[in-house]
Amino acid sequence: MVEITMFRTEDVPRAERFGVWCEQMTNLAAPMRMTSDHAADFQARARILRLGATQVWPTTIQPMRCHRTPKLARQSAPEMYHLSLILDGAIGIDQAGEHAIHRQHDLYVADMSRPFDCHLFGGGAGPIEAIGLRIPKSLLPLPEREVEKLLARRLPGQHGLGALVMGLAIRLGAEADIYRPADGPRLGAVLVDLVSALFAHTLDAERILPPDTHRRTLMLRIRAFIQQHLHNPDLTAGSIAAAHHISVSYLHRLFETEEATVAAWIRQQRLERARRDLADPAMLSTPIHEIASRWGYPDAAVFSRTFRSAYGMPPRDFRGRHLQATMGQ
C-alpha cells in the first residue's frame, strides 16, 4: 500500500491529547499557535497518505483555532500549498488580506510559508471533517504570483474541476489500502495535474499550463463525463467532443495514446457495469433487458451479441452460472 501515517488523540491520555496534537501538527505541517475550547478532552483523527512529494490528509477534528504568526512564518517557511476540501462543518481563513468562511463542498488554498489565521467550526455540535492536500509549490506549473490571487478564496467543489479534485481526494482517502507503493507518485502526479488545472481555470489562465498537464486533465474530464453518461444510448464521439468544446478528430487523437479507442472504452465501461449488475444477487429480479437499457443498450438483441462477444457467453448464461456459483459457496 502507499505510505500511510495514522494519528488519533484517543490513543493518548486525555490530559495530553491537545498538547500532543499541537506537537504533531507543528512537526508535520508548520509551527502554529493552537487553541480550542475542547482542549481538556480533545478529539481528532488524521490519516496522512504520502503520494510521492504530495500528501492527502483526511481529518476529523473538534473546533479549534490555528494562528501562524509572522514571527513563526519567518522561523519556518515550508514552500507548500495546503488545499482544504470541506466535507462537514466550516472553516474561516484569513491570509494575504483575504477573509472568507468556507462550508461543505467548498475548497480553499493557503500558503504554508505565510502567516494565516484559521478557525475551524463544527457542524452543529459535531466535529469538522475535511481533506487536506499538501503540494510543494515547485510541482505546480503556475507562477507563485498567480496562485497568490487565489489564497483564502472559495473554490467550488460541487462541479467542474473542483468536483474532480474533491472526488479523487475522497477516493484516495477511502481506498488507500488497495494501492501499491509504486502507485503513490503516479497518483500524486494526477492530483497535481488536477489542482493545477483547477487553479488555472479559476484564474482563466489555462494557456500557461504545460501541454502535457492540459492533455492529462482533459482526459480525466472526458473519462468522468463518459462514466456519468453511460446510460445515454446517444453517447458518441460527437456528443463527447461537443461537451468539451473540441473537435471529434482531436478527441480521437487524445485516445491514440490510450489502450482503447473512445468507442471501445465506452463499450468496455458499459459492459463492465452490466456484467457487475448481472452478477449481483440483489438484482436477480431485474430483467436483463432493463439492465441492458440502464447501461446504454436499448436493443436487447444488440446487447446480447455484444456481451457474448466480450465474455464468451450470453448474458442469461453468465447470470445463471455466476449466481449458481455464488449460492453454492
Side-chain angles (χ1 to χ4, degrees):
M1 68 178 70
V2 298
E3 184 181 353
I4 302 173
T5 300
M6 286 283 296
F7 179 70
R8 304 180 302 178
T9 56
E10 63 198 72
D11 294 333
V12 299
R14 181 175 300 173
E16 301 176 17
R17 289 174 179 174
F18 189 65
V20 172
W21 176 265
C22 294
E23 181 181 355
Q24 289 284 341
M25 293 302 103
T26 293
N27 293 336
L28 293 170
M32 294 174 280
R33 291 179 181 171
M34 289 169 269
T35 57
S36 174
D37 292 339
H38 304 271
D41 183 15
F42 192 67
Q43 302 291 322
R45 295 184 178 189
R47 194 174 188 220
I48 302 170
L49 287 58
R50 291 179 171 81
L51 308 176
T54 303
Q55 298 175 10
V56 179
W57 292 38
T59 304
T60 302
I61 186 171
Q62 285 185 299
M64 65 175 299
R65 178 187 179 189
C66 304
H67 185 205
R68 185 155 160 77
T69 66
K71 181 178 179 180
L72 290 174
R74 288 193 298 270
Q75 291 175 354
S76 173
E79 294 300 311
M80 305 280 287
Y81 292 118
H82 187 98
L83 187 67
S84 292
L85 295 66
I86 303 168
L87 306 179
D88 196 14
I91 300 178
I93 180 75
D94 287 90
Q95 188 173 55
E98 293 287 334
H99 169 74
I101 296 178
H102 305 286
R103 305 186 187 279
Q104 190 176 31
H105 304 307
D106 287 349
L107 298 83
Y108 74 86
V109 62
D111 184 342
M112 296 303 294
S113 68
R114 297 184 176 206
F116 61 77
D117 202 3
C118 181
H119 292 256
L120 291 83
F121 308 98
I128 299 95
E129 293 188 26
I131 299 178
L133 308 178
R134 286 174 59 81
I135 300 175
K137 293 180 180 180
S138 60
L139 295 185
L140 289 179
L142 294 164
E144 190 172 341
R145 66 180 181 276
E146 293 292 324
V147 180
E148 181 180 352
K149 300 173 185 176
L150 299 177
L151 298 181
R153 286 176 49 186
R154 175 182 176 271
L155 304 173
Q158 290 184 287
H159 54 79
L161 288 164
L164 288 178
V165 172
M166 185 169 279
L168 177 57
I170 290 171
R171 292 197 64 174
L172 288 172
E175 301 176 352
D177 295 339
I178 71 173
Y179 299 115
R180 299 186 300 271
D183 295 326
R186 290 191 286 267
L187 291 168
V190 171
L191 200 54
V192 168
D193 282 341
L194 277 178
V195 170
S196 300
L198 171 62
F199 287 0
H201 177 77
T202 306
L203 292 163
D204 195 24
E206 289 189 338
R207 63 189 181 280
I208 65 179
L209 285 177
D212 285 349
T213 297
H214 182 78
R215 179 190 174 282
R216 288 193 298 268
T217 304
L218 179 57
M219 281 300 298
L220 286 169
R221 293 170 63 184
I222 289 170
R223 287 181 183 275
F225 178 87
I226 290 173
Q227 290 173 339
Q228 292 167 3
H229 294 82
L230 289 173
H231 64 279
N232 185 354
D234 294 326
L235 181 68
T236 63
S239 64
I240 295 166
H244 293 84
H245 310 291
I246 59 176
S247 68
V248 173
S249 61
Y250 183 60
L251 176 66
H252 287 308
R253 287 202 301 274
L254 287 173
F255 272 82
E256 284 178 355
T257 57
E258 304 296 314
E259 295 180 356
T261 65
V262 61
W265 199 77
I266 293 172
R267 184 169 59 252
Q268 290 169 6
Q269 295 300 303
R270 282 175 166 162
L271 288 173
E272 175 56 27
R273 282 157 176 76
R275 185 198 65 79
R276 180 192 61 195
D277 287 352
L278 290 168
D280 185 353
M283 297 192 68
L284 181 58
S285 62
T286 304
I288 291 176
H289 70 85
E290 287 190 15
I291 291 176
S293 181
R294 173 181 296 174
W295 297 115
Y297 287 100
D299 188 320
V302 171
F303 170 68
S304 183
R305 289 196 300 271
T306 307
F307 189 95
R308 182 170 188 165
S309 176
Y311 298 108
M313 65 183 75
R316 187 178 303 278
D317 291 354
F318 174 86
R319 170 183 262 182
R321 291 187 187 183
H322 189 89
L323 292 177
Q324 184 178 23
T326 301
M327 294 174 181
Q329 290 179 352

